[in-house]
């Protein structure tokens, strides 16, 4: 027949005792810092603190465009639209927008490229909002919309349809120049 309940409980106790005495060695973690890889334990305290605040993206299946963003408190799965390589080369979308519509600007406090983009968007005649990706709500909203970099500006028409994305003042200038020429 099978094992008795007492035999199973003895085996569980033995396994638990073995697991309690398991010992390992310290794992050395290497990460990229200022252009090269170095052991995290050798970083200065500021860089180690920055490392502890990093958000990690896990690619579950490289064949698909479904990605998972995990933070300490939540997990958010979303899909990314793949573009052809030709579409990814320094081309900017044709935008058919009037002055009506709105924008969402995704930024971080430590982003060196965010202030010029924020300043540019102040001079645009669209209403909009700034979303801080350093907050958990901002990070989840960015993940839901497939935003991977800051700054990112998403332009919407009055119906809430996404019309364009930009990451720099140069890209925004080209987009708004096309709008002005088309008007």
């Amino acid at each position: 027949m099978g094992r008795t309940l007492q035999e199973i409980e003895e085996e569980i106790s033995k396994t638990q005792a073995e697991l309690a005495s398991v010992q390992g060695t310290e794992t050395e973690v290497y990460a990229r810092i200022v252009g090269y890889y170095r052991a995290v334990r050798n970083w200065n305290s500021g860089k180690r603190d920055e490392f502890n605040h990093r958000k990690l993206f896990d690619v579950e299946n490289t064949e698909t465009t479904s990605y998972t963003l995990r933070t300490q408190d939540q997990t958010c799965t979303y899909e990314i639209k793949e573009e052809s390589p030709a579409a990814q080369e320094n081309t900017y979308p044709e935008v058919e927008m009037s002055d009506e519509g709105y924008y969402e600007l995704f930024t971080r406090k430590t982003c060196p490229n965010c202030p010029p983009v924020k300043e540019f968007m102040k001079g645009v005649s669209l209403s909009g909002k700034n979303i801080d990706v350093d907050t958990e709500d901002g990070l989840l909203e960015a993940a839901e919309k497939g935003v991977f970099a800051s700054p990112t500006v998403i332009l919407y028409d009055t119906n809430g349809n996404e019309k364009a994305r930009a990451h720099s003042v140069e890209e925004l200038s080209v987009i708004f120049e096309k709008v002005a020429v088309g008007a």
Side-chain angles (χ1 to χ4, degrees):
M1 288 198 169
R3 298 183 298 173
T4 66
L5 183 57
Q6 184 178 5
E7 291 172 330
I8 294 172
E9 287 177 356
E10 287 175 7
E11 186 177 337
I12 290 172
S13 296
K14 180 181 170 189
T15 303
Q16 286 175 336
E18 288 175 1
L19 287 174
S21 65
V22 170
Q23 295 181 359
T25 59
E26 185 176 336
T27 301
E28 188 77 57
V29 177
Y30 281 77
R32 185 175 163 93
I33 179 174
V34 194
Y36 59 93
Y37 287 90
R38 185 172 177 197
V40 173
R41 70 183 171 105
N42 295 330
W43 290 7
N44 67 41
S45 60
K47 286 292 181 188
R48 272 197 308 267
D49 188 49
E50 179 185 312
F51 178 78
N52 292 334
H53 286 91
R54 289 183 183 176
K55 309 291 187 220
L56 301 177
F57 289 87
D58 293 334
V59 179
E60 293 177 343
N61 185 348
T62 57
E63 299 298 319
T64 67
T65 57
S66 176
Y67 298 90
T68 301
L69 169 67
R70 290 186 173 87
T71 63
Q72 290 179 344
D73 300 328
Q74 285 185 305
T75 298
C76 180
T77 302
Y78 54 95
E79 290 190 15
I80 305 303
K81 295 177 185 172
E82 295 288 331
E83 293 183 16
S84 67
Q88 293 175 2
E89 295 175 13
N90 261 342
T91 60
Y92 302 104
E94 289 294 327
V95 181
E96 294 180 21
M97 295 179 47
S98 66
D99 285 342
E100 298 176 19
Y102 63 98
Y103 70 88
E104 293 177 331
L105 170 57
F106 293 86
T107 61
R108 297 192 67 199
K109 291 178 187 76
T110 58
C111 166
N113 299 320
C114 290
V117 172
K118 282 182 187 178
E119 194 62 34
F120 182 92
M121 292 310 292
K122 285 180 184 176
V124 172
S125 61
L126 295 175
S127 62
K129 67 177 180 176
N130 184 18
I131 299 166
D132 184 358
V133 181
D134 288 326
T135 66
E136 191 167 329
D137 289 341
L139 183 63
L140 289 173
E141 189 167 348
E144 288 172 7
K145 295 183 179 177
V147 173
F148 290 112
S150 64
T152 296
V153 179
I154 304 177
L155 301 166
Y156 298 94
D157 64 13
T158 54
N159 297 324
N161 300 316
E162 182 178 328
K163 299 307 277 182
R165 286 187 184 215
H167 305 283
S168 67
V169 171
E170 177 191 50
E171 292 176 2
L172 288 165
S173 296
V174 171
I175 289 170
F176 283 100
E177 189 175 293
K178 287 181 182 180
V179 170
V181 169

